[in-house]
Amino acid sequence: MSPDSPTPTQDELDLLHYESRIERPVRMKLPEFERNERLRHVIFSGQFSVPMLEDLAGTADKIRILSKMREGQDFLIRLLNHKRAMLYFTQPSTRTFLSFMAACQILGITCNEVRDPTTSSETKGETRFDSLRMFSSYFDLIIMRSKLARLAESCAYLMNDLEASGNRSVPIINAGSGSDEHPTQALLDIYTLQRTFQFSRPQDSPAATRFDELRRDYPDLTKGLSDKVYGFCGDIGRGRTVRSLASLLGNYEGVTLIFIAPDDPTLSLREDLRQRLADRGVRTIEVQSFDEQVGGIPVIEQLDALYMTRIQKEHNQASDDAQFAALDLSRYKLNLELVGRMKRYAPILHPFPRDQHFGEIPSEIDNDPRAVYFRQARNGMWIRAALLASIFGVDHQISRFFHEEYSEWHDYNESPSSVM
Amino acid sequence: MSPDSPTPTQDELDLLHYESRIERPVRMKLPEFERNERLRHVIFSGQFSVPMLEDLAGTADKIRILSKMREGQDFLIRLLNHKRAMLYFTQPSTRTFLSFMAACQILGITCNEVRDPTTSSETKGETRFDSLRMFSSYFDLIIMRSKLARLAESCAYLMNDLEASGNRSVPIINAGSGSDEHPTQALLDIYTLQRTFQFSRPQDSPAATRFDELRRDYPDLTKGLSDKVYGFCGDIGRGRTVRSLASLLGNYEGVTLIFIAPDDPTLSLREDLRQRLADRGVRTIEVQSFDEQVGGIPVIEQLDALYMTRIQKEHNQASDDAQFAALDLSRYKLNLELVGRMKRYAPILHPFPRDQHFGEIPSEIDNDPRAVYFRQARNGMWIRAALLASIFGVDHQISRFFHEEYSEWHDYNESPSSVM
Amino acid sequence: MSPDSPTPTQDELDLLHYESRIERPVRMKLPEFERNERLRHVIFSGQFSVPMLEDLAGTADKIRILSKMREGQDFLIRLLNHKRAMLYFTQPSTRTFLSFMAACQILGITCNEVRDPTTSSETKGETRFDSLRMFSSYFDLIIMRSKLARLAESCAYLMNDLEASGNRSVPIINAGSGSDEHPTQALLDIYTLQRTFQFSRPQDSPAATRFDELRRDYPDLTKGLSDKVYGFCGDIGRGRTVRSLASLLGNYEGVTLIFIAPDDPTLSLREDLRQRLADRGVRTIEVQSFDEQVGGIPVIEQLDALYMTRIQKEHNQASDDAQFAALDLSRYKLNLELVGRMKRYAPILHPFPRDQHFGEIPSEIDNDPRAVYFRQARNGMWIRAALLASIFGVDHQISRFFHEEYSEWHDYNESPSSVM
């Protein structure tokens, strides 16, 4: 071995070990992340099929409604009170972290955390995989977030290998890996859209929902996520939440995705996503402002939903700063005038945090009924709780309890999503 | 706008937004922090009326006694096990933090924490108010401590505004804001005095309490906080706990407050507090040593209770160091001789931590029965639990359970405070 | 007092205060750490007698089996759900920390932590003992790890003194103090050996255990820890886990301890331990490699169990680096060839973390059935839970529940250790 290629560390060898599995197409990997048609590890947003998304939303709705009443809370909090989760967040994230904590707590799961990127064991020469096996010794679930792309995927393979050799193995949930994947963020975005496009309210009687009222003004309006126009605005190129959500929306029939971003190699739609959507026959349109016309109508007036994003300047390369200075980035900010022109029901989403210095969503918009970004965060808690219930196989118990206790809900509304 | 006044950030605008409400007199604000005659937000010590203090002490007593028995513990731990608290402590404080944690845990409340002053979201440009709304999305209560005076108050207004507009809103508890207010510290100080001036013991039969015995030596002694002489010693000027406790004691009849501090603008009684107490007709006396005579008797021999404090040298200005060097600060330290001259029942309190280098209370005093400062800390846990029970409206449930299970306590003693 | 001897701080005085008690022989101290023949404080591994180790293993086995079934979990999680623990870890340790967290959680104990070496109170001049008394005000148990040798022992004396004077006092568990003692690590090492030398499996019928099968190849094999040869390899001099385990094994009949380490004053067996073992009549042998012959047979082929360790280079003195460079440290690494020559049942233990850069156990050995180091970590959780159950006096309750619910286990197997 030449002096130029030093002996690789065990950490490097560990990742190399799974390289060939990582490079397979997603479709080939999916069965390995399931057990008995149930998710075992949650690694990519590509794992979520439309029926699975509908199931998870149904469970999230039930958890949400049960959480409003004392006996429902008591039922939920005992469901998984014998389970212990490890939140291994070496890439900082307050929001995702707290959302998972809350989701665990709703179901009684006890939380433990390691957030320091260099745990004391690693400074003593411990490999990442040894750390992970330690966590799997003490805990029943590992929720992990890392700067290292594909670390979560490798850990899922490690757990599968342990299982195959008769050793202890626990589920892995990817809570964000590098610039790569953040599947549970995509879940909560979808769940927020699912709730919106139910168009109902708890106070609605079975005979008169918000949908009926809206249809007077929007005769072509339908329920559900299909046949809708979704806008994505801002940092399209680097937004991993945009990538995941766009991919999932592509699973629904007749959707149009409009990307509103500057004509800039860093910020605009990346070729790989453009190609992937095209291959699946998804209609995509790229424009440079809300006012640009498509089919003779300004984009802002056509959107059924708008997904705003923050310019992720912390990921800027040296060249980006100069390049961005030449762009008119003010076009990628909302204001009251623009919001006023949107469809009356069209929700505004944002993965948050928003940037007070850039101001992509000024706070004056917060009181508009279209602003759902705070509720979106709370939806994240419900859908993550649903995901945990599904992984541990208690979703059917939730369904059973719900229908026994709340049969009246069931009678009135086909789907419990109608409840706030 | 001139170059000297740059565009304010949203964080600055947010605080400005509530400025006019903050500047109103306290009396006008109180109703906004209550719901149905029950505390909603706990921001100032000025919110606590004498009946409220008596109620909270009664609840704290019951929680304390229930915590001694297995069935009582089981009852308490289920009371609020569906609630999740956020402890948002950007100003460090181990003691207050742990006391709130323990208080939550007694009632089954799950705790979550953010203690880093710069959370990752804030570095991405998130406003404080967006962070707070995130917390209120996931949790049912925010307990906050901040270097920023009035931040807790602003957050209470934010929550009220959200409530008014039909959005999710949670209670705010101020666990210390700037040099300003620390209302739950005042609560625990009062509770420690309330327990002391019951003069009873669990081993006492109904016919013979410690009070009866003490009255032989102190014929004028009465129960309760009224008609007593309270001493405050040390850093009177900067001690926010002194300010809060003195104000609350001013609500009781016939009290005398003696401040024992050097004649120094930083350390002695501030004009605003002197004036406020005078306006309410509270008798205050300022002396420079324990041995100074008032009415012909040295102060130390007249006190019914003594509140010691630490010289907060971490808040010294540049000029203070030189100025303090000229003072005889040894006068503001206790010793065994001084303690020996105090009334036999007079408790010595200290908000803690005490300073081993200054030595305002040397450890040789710890074994004196008048030294209640360690029990004071434990009282903090009970009274904070009582406060949480009151905010979430389960105090009546506690009362009911207590009287069903422990009717014998009720028969013997009018107030359960008689139990250790 | 001369200028050369400044006034000692209260922290220094506090430790001096207990010096004379600390310097007594261990035998004299033991009664002070027990109450009613039950452990009160856990400070040294020397506190564990053989009957106590058997008792703890029995409780750990029962907790382990109960944890596999829903009703067992429900029983366990309610046992101590009214207790609150403080994990005061000013010396970092992820592994021991998480293991204690998990152990607490199994029994429903709520965990709190202080991990920062300088808590905010200490910067305000608070003594360590005041901090400890604060913890004992809020919590029911203190689990502590510190760089300061003997701090845990001093705290146990402080708690005993408080108890004697009628004050609140809680149990102290030493989770590692300086280079000194780490008694619960010794416990988990012993428990791993206890489980191994049961030689049974859950799938075994009462008539055929692994022991019967192994005895065909090893006719002299016996059950239990007595009459066995134990090897310790690597950093013998500085390994506190080696010291504790070797001492405890010395309590069993007819054991031989072989230390495999370089002839180096830092790394080889220290004189004090050599002498202590000799005094108790324990047979010890020191060799410099696995291949060295003892009684005509290479050491590696004689071992009934092998305890590997990491070279603790973070504790190297300046002189050590040069000295170690002259040694052939590759002799203190395992490889597949060496493992292949070991007895078929002989377990390989390691206190972990292992060092990927040194490579004392390369990962290729992980799949060998003799590699028990990952299971060892999980055993740590069970035995620590057993220790907590014993300290809080609920071990008999566990026994009773176990025998009522799982009488069939009891019928088949004298000891539940036979279950994986």
Side-chain angles (χ1 to χ4, degrees), chain A residues 70 73-74 77 93-95 98-99 101-102 105-106 310 352-356 363 374 377-378 381, chain B residues 9-11 78-79 81-82 84 86 110 112 119-120 124-127 130 133-135 137-138 168:
Chain A
R70 197 61 178 93
Q73 294 161 343
D74 272 344
I77 216 146
S93 164
T94 309
R95 194 173 294 274
L98 293 175
S99 173
M101 291 281 278
Q105 290 164 5
I106 288 168
R310 188 172 63 80
F352 262 44
R354 58 179 163 181
D355 184 352
Q356 64 174 313
S363 65
F374 287 109
R378 196 158 161 85
M381 179 177 76
Chain B
T9 64
Q10 187 60 43
D11 265 336
R78 283 196 200 120
L79 262 181
N81 69 355
H82 56 295
R84 296 182 302 278
M86 162 51 60
T110 313
N112 293 272
T119 71
S120 61
K124 292 176 186 165
E126 180 162 81
T127 65
D130 274 7
R133 284 196 71 174
M134 162 180 62
F135 300 150
S137 295
Y138 302 142
R168 183 172 167 82

Side-chain angles (χ1 to χ4, degrees), chain C residues 84-103:
Chain C
R84 298 183 300 279
M86 163 51 60
L87 283 82
Y88 181 47
F89 272 54
T90 53
Q91 184 189 33
S93 163
T94 309
R95 192 173 295 275
T96 303
F97 181 83
L98 293 175
S99 174
F100 266 114
M101 292 281 278

Side-chain angles (χ1 to χ4, degrees), chain B residues 39-62:
Chain B
L39 290 169
R40 167 73 179 177
H41 306 295
V42 177
I43 308 298
F44 318 105
S45 55
Q47 291 179 259
F48 303 119
S49 65
V50 169
M52 213 181 265
L53 291 171
E54 297 301 312
D55 258 13
L56 286 170
T59 304
D61 282 341
K62 292 182 191 79

Side-chain angles (χ1 to χ4, degrees), chain C residues 109-385:
Chain C
I109 300 174
T110 314
C111 294
N112 294 272
E113 59 184 84
V114 168
R115 300 174 80 173
D116 189 359
T118 55
T119 71
S120 61
S121 293
E122 279 163 17
T123 65
K124 292 176 186 164
E126 179 161 81
T127 65
R128 270 183 227 107
F129 278 13
D130 274 7
S131 295
L132 259 291
R133 284 194 72 173
M134 161 180 62
F135 299 150
S136 75
S137 295
Y138 303 142
F139 306 107
D140 303 301
L141 167 71
I142 299 173
I143 302 169
M144 60 189 290
R145 185 181 177 99
S146 162
K147 277 182 189 160
L148 231 72
R150 302 301 179 197
L151 181 61
E153 187 176 348
S154 302
C155 290
Y157 294 133
L158 171 68
M159 289 297 144
N160 282 351
D161 287 352
L162 288 170
E163 190 182 359
S165 59
N167 285 295
R168 183 173 167 81
S169 161
V170 304
I172 302 286
I173 296 180
N174 180 2
S177 54
S179 58
D180 195 45
E181 273 280 355
H182 191 357
T184 60
Q185 175 70 42
L187 262 192
L188 78 89
D189 293 336
I190 286 280
Y191 181 50
T192 301
L193 294 171
Q194 286 169 318
R195 288 190 65 191
T196 302
F197 294 127
Q198 289 297 128
F199 300 111
S200 27
R201 288 268 172 77
Q203 53 273 50
D204 295 341
S205 85
T209 67
R210 191 164 179 242
F211 183 54
D212 301 316
E213 173 216 323
L214 284 166
R215 244 192 324 196
R216 285 194 292 271
D217 291 346
Y218 303 97
D220 300 332
L221 190 62
T222 56
K223 285 189 183 184
L225 271 61
S226 302
D227 305 307
K228 299 265 180 315
V229 178
Y230 298 96
F232 294 86
C233 172
D235 196 339
I236 302 305
R238 297 181 294 187
R240 66 182 170 190
T241 64
V242 170
R243 296 171 69 85
S244 301
L245 179 57
S247 292
L248 283 185
L249 286 174
N251 292 337
Y252 288 85
E253 297 287 310
V255 302
T256 302
L257 308 183
I258 306 186
F259 299 96
I260 304 135
D263 181 15
D264 172 274
T266 303
L267 299 175
S268 66
L269 188 62
R270 299 271 161 99
E271 182 51 30
D272 66 332
L273 181 57
R274 184 184 296 120
Q275 194 56 54
R276 212 188 321 150
L277 292 168
D279 289 349
R280 290 158 64 198
V282 181
R283 188 178 172 226
T284 61
I285 300 170
E286 294 173 63
V287 299
Q288 292 177 40
S289 86
F290 288 120
D291 271 315
E292 213 170 303
Q293 302 208 347
V294 170
I297 305 168
V299 159
I300 191 72
E301 296 171 21
Q302 301 195 40
L303 301 176
D304 290 302
L306 170 58
Y307 196 86
M308 294 296 297
T309 66
R310 188 171 62 82
I311 306 293
Q312 299 183 31
K313 52 184 184 304
E314 72 275 24
H315 294 138
N316 280 8
Q317 307 292 322
S319 60
D320 287 332
D321 293 325
Q323 214 166 298
F324 291 0
L327 300 171
D328 178 8
L329 292 179
S330 71
R331 291 175 167 198
Y332 310 99
K333 301 181 192 185
L334 272 187
N335 57 45
L336 283 178
E337 187 269 334
L338 283 165
V339 173
R341 287 161 61 195
M342 290 175 67
K343 287 178 176 170
R344 206 147 55 80
Y345 58 80
I348 303 166
L349 289 79
H350 190 300
F352 262 45
R354 60 179 162 181
D355 184 350
Q356 63 175 314
H357 307 298
F358 181 70
E360 68 274 15
I361 302 185
S363 67
E364 58 194 8
I365 291 170
D366 296 0
N367 291 323
D368 190 285
R370 279 161 286 213
V372 304
Y373 29 86
F374 286 109
R375 251 173 293 159
Q376 190 183 351
R378 196 158 161 85
N379 285 337
M381 178 177 79
W382 302 124
I383 198 74
R384 286 183 173 113

Side-chain angles (χ1 to χ4, degrees), chain B residues 279-347:
Chain B
D279 289 350
R280 291 157 64 197
V282 181
R283 187 176 173 229
T284 61
I285 300 171
E286 295 171 64
V287 300
Q288 291 176 43
S289 85
F290 287 120
D291 271 314
E292 213 170 301
Q293 302 207 347
V294 170
I297 305 168
V299 159
I300 190 70
E301 297 170 21
Q302 302 194 40
L303 300 176
D304 290 302
L306 170 58
Y307 196 86
M308 294 296 297
T309 66
R310 188 172 61 81
I311 306 293
Q312 299 181 32
K313 54 184 185 304
E314 72 275 22
H315 295 138
N316 280 7
Q317 306 292 323
S319 60
D320 288 332
D321 293 325
Q323 215 167 295
F324 291 0
L327 300 171
D328 178 8
L329 292 179
S330 71
R331 291 174 166 200
Y332 310 100
K333 302 181 193 187
L334 272 186
N335 57 44
L336 282 178
E337 186 270 332
L338 283 165
V339 173
R341 288 161 62 198
M342 289 175 67
K343 287 179 176 167
R344 205 147 56 79
Y345 58 79

Side-chain angles (χ1 to χ4, degrees), chain A residues 264 320-329:
Chain A
D264 172 274
D320 288 332
D321 293 326
Q323 215 168 295
F324 291 1
L327 300 172
D328 178 6
L329 291 180

Side-chain angles (χ1 to χ4, degrees), chain A residues 157-364:
Chain A
Y157 294 133
L158 171 67
M159 289 296 145
N160 282 352
D161 287 352
L162 288 170
E163 190 183 0
S165 58
N167 285 294
R168 184 172 167 82
S169 161
V170 304
I172 303 285
I173 297 181
N174 180 0
S177 54
S179 59
D180 194 46
E181 273 280 357
H182 191 357
T184 60
Q185 175 71 42
L187 263 191
L188 78 89
D189 293 335
I190 285 279
Y191 181 50
T192 301
L193 295 171
Q194 286 169 319
R195 289 190 65 190
T196 303
F197 295 126
Q198 288 296 130
F199 300 110
S200 27
R201 287 269 173 78
Q203 53 271 51
D204 295 342
S205 85
T209 69
R210 192 164 179 241
F211 182 56
D212 299 317
E213 171 216 325
L214 284 165
R215 243 188 328 194
R216 285 193 291 273
D217 292 345
Y218 304 97
D220 299 332
L221 189 61
T222 55
K223 285 190 183 182
L225 272 62
S226 301
D227 305 308
K228 299 267 178 316
V229 178
Y230 298 97
F232 294 86
C233 172
D235 196 338
I236 302 304
R238 295 180 296 189
R240 66 182 170 189
T241 64
V242 171
R243 297 171 67 86
S244 300
L245 178 58
S247 292
L248 283 185
L249 286 174
N251 292 338
Y252 288 85
E253 297 287 310
V255 302
T256 301
L257 308 183
I258 305 187
F259 299 96
I260 304 134
D263 181 14
D264 172 274
T266 302
L267 298 174
S268 66
L269 188 63
R270 299 272 160 99
E271 181 51 30
D272 65 331
L273 180 57
R274 183 183 296 119
Q275 195 55 54
R276 210 184 328 147
L277 292 167
D279 289 348
R280 290 157 64 197
V282 181
R283 187 176 172 229
T284 62
I285 299 170
E286 293 171 64
V287 300
Q288 291 176 41
S289 87
F290 289 120
D291 272 315
E292 213 170 303
Q293 303 208 347
V294 169
I297 306 168
V299 159
I300 191 71
E301 297 171 20
Q302 302 194 41
L303 300 176
D304 291 301
L306 170 59
Y307 196 86
M308 293 296 296
T309 65
R310 188 172 63 80
I311 306 293
Q312 298 183 31
K313 53 184 184 302
E314 72 275 24
H315 294 139
N316 279 8
Q317 306 292 322
S319 60
D320 288 332
D321 293 326
Q323 215 168 295
F324 291 1
L327 300 172
D328 178 6
L329 291 180
S330 71
R331 292 173 165 198
Y332 309 99
K333 301 180 193 186
L334 271 186
N335 57 45
L336 282 178
E337 187 270 331
L338 283 166
V339 172
R341 288 160 61 197
M342 288 174 67
K343 289 180 174 166
R344 204 148 55 80
Y345 58 80
I348 303 166
L349 289 80
H350 190 300
F352 262 44
R354 58 179 163 181
D355 184 352
Q356 64 174 313
H357 308 296
F358 182 71
E360 68 273 15
I361 303 185
S363 65
E364 58 194 9

Side-chain angles (χ1 to χ4, degrees), chain B residues 199-205 209-210 418-420:
Chain B
F199 301 110
S200 27
R201 287 271 172 75
Q203 53 271 49
D204 296 342
S205 84
T209 69
R210 188 162 181 243
S418 52
V419 189
M420 256 295 283

